[in-house]
Amino acid sequence: MKYEPVIGLEVHAQLLTASKIFCGCSTQFGREPNANTCPVCCGFPGVLPVLNKKVVEFAIKAGLATHCEITRSSILARKNYFYPDLPKGYQISQYELPVCSNGYVEFELNGQTKKVRLTRIHMEEDAGKNIHDAHGDSSLVDLNRAGVPLLEIVSEPDLRTTEEAGAYLRALRATLQYLGVCDGNMEEGSFRCDANVSVRPAGTDKLGTKIEIKNLNSFRAVERALEYEIHRQSETLEDGGTLVQETRLWDEHREETRSMRSKESAHDYRYFPDPDLLPLVIPDSWIDEIRARLPELPAARRQRFLSQYGLPAYDAELLTSRKDVADYFESALKVRSNAKALSNWIVGDLFRVLKERKLDDQLYIENWPIPARHLAELVQLIDQGKISGKIAKSVFEALLDGDKSPQQIVDEKGLQQVSDTGSIESAIDQVLAANPKQVEQFRSGNDKVFGFLVGQIMKATQGKANPQRVNEILRDKLNPAG
Ligand SMILES: [Zn+2]
């Protein structure tokens, strides 16, 4: 029997606010343990939380950009559970009334537009972090992350393949990055994903047993874990077994999921409205103001790349799927305005290198092996006829990891294209003299030999001859009559 996967994703996006959600502590990553703490985020008795207005603004931004309804009057709720990294014994979150609901995310995949519905977006605080293996015999708690604001973005189970899941996550991340509300860094945990996946016999409507997978720290992990789990569930059913609703952990090293606990239900958390916080009332005027200041989003930028730069849809999609890549492209364009040539270098050669070095999901463009202005200069050298396309490939390789500009590399290695007629002619004469048979073949009508002769001339000039000049002069020499 063939099984169809049904996938829904829950994303936790850490917001780029300067301070935490209910206190004034810094959200800065990587500081000394417990440096970013105060009585509020440490859960001391008698303290009161105060909602950070910026968090609400970011939530509204995310909601508007994903076509959600903004809830005019919502509440914050306590989600009760015990864990050492949760000092209050509850997490402040939202339950019945999330700040945003009923939105969708649209993305392109294999030439088709796919729409994934969003159930809800709600605000909540992050928990701290337990460090278990610090001394072997003790566990430590770092509360720097406790109270850092998060958006939980829950999709409907609209995804059917692991590829769609990856594309959805990239599209959602791009939207949050464009909005400037989340940096999307999966490695540092500021964009985290849990996946709900079930399988059902293809062609049926009833949903199968839902399994939640946690601990997905990269796009690769999401895709690999989903593949593993779809396979595991299908095999189990195929063999006549049954699945239990549970939470499983992805083990990155063993490349498998394993059971963590049976899935808890909402009532296990005893949600109730947090009596320390007032209901959150959002006036229309505030929403209008935020809507008016929304930045250009991926879909609009893609459209602009099509119309303003005349790029093909494929290029525009790839370049705008990440804000930093689109920025890289446009900053290179400021130096040199050959849009299509620049795009070719980015989506071709540069993406290949990023993939080889596993940098393709990394967000720090400053870690990229070539600065935008160097790529722009490379295109400029080709456009000005100073180097050939072939030489440019070797200059590109030399640019990787170096500080030198393309012009410096060309000068130092003597790669400048030879365009003067005299030197090209003498190279052609030598090649023609060395290949009389091919010359004869060409003159008796075999046009294909022309390419061979051009190749020999390029070889004789170490690829430096201007290919256009070579073509012109060679044709003249072979057809003296014109
Ligand atoms: Zn604090």
Side-chain angles (χ1 to χ4, degrees):
M1 196 186 296
K2 202 161 159 27
Y3 291 94
E4 175 190 55
V6 177
I7 304 163
L9 298 177
E10 281 179 28
V11 166
H12 285 94
Q14 185 181 317
L15 296 177
L16 286 170
T17 55
S19 57
K20 293 186 179 181
I21 182 169
F22 299 118
C23 62
C25 290
S26 164
T27 55
Q28 198 192 327
F29 182 82
R31 290 195 66 194
E32 200 183 315
N34 299 306
N36 298 342
T37 55
C38 74
V40 173
C41 54
C42 288
F44 281 26
V47 297
L48 288 172
V50 177
L51 180 58
N52 182 341
K53 191 175 177 187
K54 204 78 185 166
V55 173
V56 184
E57 183 192 317
F58 282 5
I60 296 172
K61 271 189 174 179
L64 291 175
T66 52
H67 316 277
C68 284
E69 296 155 21
I70 310 299
T71 313
R72 298 306 195 271
S73 180
S74 65
I75 53 171
L76 290 134
R78 288 189 183 176
K79 179 182 182 179
N80 298 279
Y81 66 96
F82 175 77
Y83 206 63
D85 65 9
L86 191 71
K88 297 193 293 291
Y90 59 84
Q91 176 193 27
I92 304 179
S93 179
Q94 295 194 288
Y95 184 51
E96 299 104 317
L97 291 169
V99 65
C100 315
S101 58
N102 298 323
Y104 63 89
V105 171
E106 247 177 356
F107 56 90
E108 305 277 323
L109 183 64
N110 305 325
Q112 303 233 306
T113 303
K114 170 92 188 172
K115 191 186 221 177
V116 173
R117 292 168 299 156
L118 294 185
T119 319
R120 58 191 279 149
I121 299 178
H122 71 247
M123 303 174 290
E124 63 184 27
E125 59 178 338
D126 208 345
K129 209 173 189 171
N130 292 326
I131 302 156
H132 296 297
D133 49 0
H135 296 290
D137 57 351
S138 62
S139 285
L140 303 174
V141 183
D142 175 7
L143 295 178
N144 280 350
R145 209 178 59 184
V148 163
L150 301 176
L151 288 185
E152 180 171 322
I153 303 163
V154 183
S155 86
E156 291 285 306
D158 286 348
L159 298 155
R160 292 292 172 271
T161 64
T162 55
E163 200 189 8
E164 281 183 5
Y168 162 78
L169 280 180
R170 287 185 175 86
L172 179 61
R173 185 177 73 165
T175 302
L176 299 179
Q177 287 174 330
Y178 272 73
L179 290 170
V181 303
C182 171
D183 67 14
N185 189 328
M186 278 188 118
E187 284 178 356
E188 288 181 4
S190 52
F191 188 83
R192 315 199 281 269
C193 172
D194 299 334
N196 288 304
V197 55
S198 61
V199 299
R200 64 186 175 196
T204 61
D205 287 337
K206 197 167 165 281
L207 290 171
T209 305
K210 186 170 82 176
I211 312 280
E212 184 179 21
I213 318 173
K214 288 196 176 283
N215 202 28
L216 303 170
N217 304 326
S218 66
F219 287 104
R220 274 183 201 89
V222 173
E223 287 165 355
R224 305 277 303 173
L226 283 171
E227 263 162 39
Y228 176 88
E229 194 53 28
I230 291 163
H231 183 74
R232 185 188 73 85
Q233 293 180 24
S234 308
E235 292 262 284
T236 304
L237 296 179
E238 191 69 47
D239 295 344
T242 48
L243 296 162
V244 282
Q245 186 170 328
E246 62 178 348
T247 300
R248 297 177 72 88
L249 265 189
W250 171 243
D251 186 324
E252 185 96 48
H253 302 289
R254 296 166 74 174
E255 299 235 316
E256 61 182 32
T257 63
R258 58 166 190 270
S259 187
M260 183 176 145
R261 57 169 187 249
S262 64
K263 174 74 183 156
E264 65 286 344
S265 306
H267 63 250
D268 295 331
Y269 290 122
R270 292 165 42 249
Y271 280 99
F272 63 87
D274 192 310
D276 288 343
L277 289 155
L278 291 165
L280 170 64
V281 177
I282 300 173
D284 287 348
S285 58
W286 193 20
I287 297 174
D288 292 341
E289 198 185 299
I290 292 171
R291 195 194 310 272
R293 284 188 289 114
L294 281 183
E296 185 180 44
L297 292 169
R301 199 166 190 182
R302 184 164 61 237
Q303 222 39 55
R304 184 165 64 77
F305 276 23
L306 294 176
S307 54
Q308 185 177 343
Y309 304 129
L311 290 175
Y314 175 81
D315 294 48
E317 170 68 25
L318 281 177
L319 291 173
T320 56
S321 65
R322 271 173 54 180
K323 181 176 183 294
D324 53 351
V325 175
D327 289 346
Y328 180 92
F329 170 74
E330 289 203 293
S331 70
L333 265 189
K334 280 190 195 130
V335 182
R336 180 68 203 172
S337 61
N338 187 337
K340 181 58 183 145
L342 269 171
S343 171
N344 287 347
W345 282 99
I346 295 173
V347 305
D349 300 80
L350 189 55
F351 278 10
R352 171 181 55 78
V353 172
L354 294 178
K355 204 165 183 161
E356 283 165 8
R357 300 185 177 192
K358 297 194 166 39
L359 289 171
D360 44 336
D361 277 330
Q362 263 213 18
L363 294 167
Y364 298 112
I365 217 113
E366 55 269 33
N367 290 350
W368 279 22
I370 298 182
R373 63 181 192 306
H374 282 176
L375 199 63
E377 192 181 307
L378 183 66
V379 170
Q380 191 164 21
L381 292 176
I382 305 167
D383 284 356
Q384 293 170 343
K386 289 188 179 159
I387 54 173
S388 65
K390 197 166 173 197
I391 292 288
K393 296 275 178 194
S394 70
V395 175
F396 178 85
E397 297 299 323
L399 279 173
L400 295 171
D401 310 310
D403 302 329
K404 286 177 183 148
S405 75
Q407 184 66 62
Q408 282 172 313
I409 292 168
V410 168
D411 291 345
E412 280 173 21
K413 299 195 173 179
L415 297 172
Q416 180 107 357
Q417 183 158 263
V418 175
S419 294
D420 80 281
T421 312
S423 6
I424 293 177
E425 267 190 346
S426 76
I428 291 179
D429 289 341
Q430 280 172 28
V431 167
L432 293 186
N435 298 282
K437 218 165 82 191
Q438 280 78 6
V439 172
E440 197 47 50
Q441 284 170 354
F442 179 81
R443 290 199 168 126
S444 51
N446 182 353
D447 229 25
K448 280 185 202 149
V449 195
F450 191 77
F452 166 80
L453 291 169
V454 170
Q456 293 302 304
I457 296 156
M458 294 309 288
K459 211 162 143 190
T461 57
Q462 284 118 43
K464 287 186 284 184
N466 179 333
Q468 203 185 332
R469 291 293 295 139
V470 168
N471 270 275
E472 289 163 7
I473 301 172
L474 179 62
R475 211 163 276 283
D476 282 350
K477 283 192 181 281
L478 290 170
N479 300 313

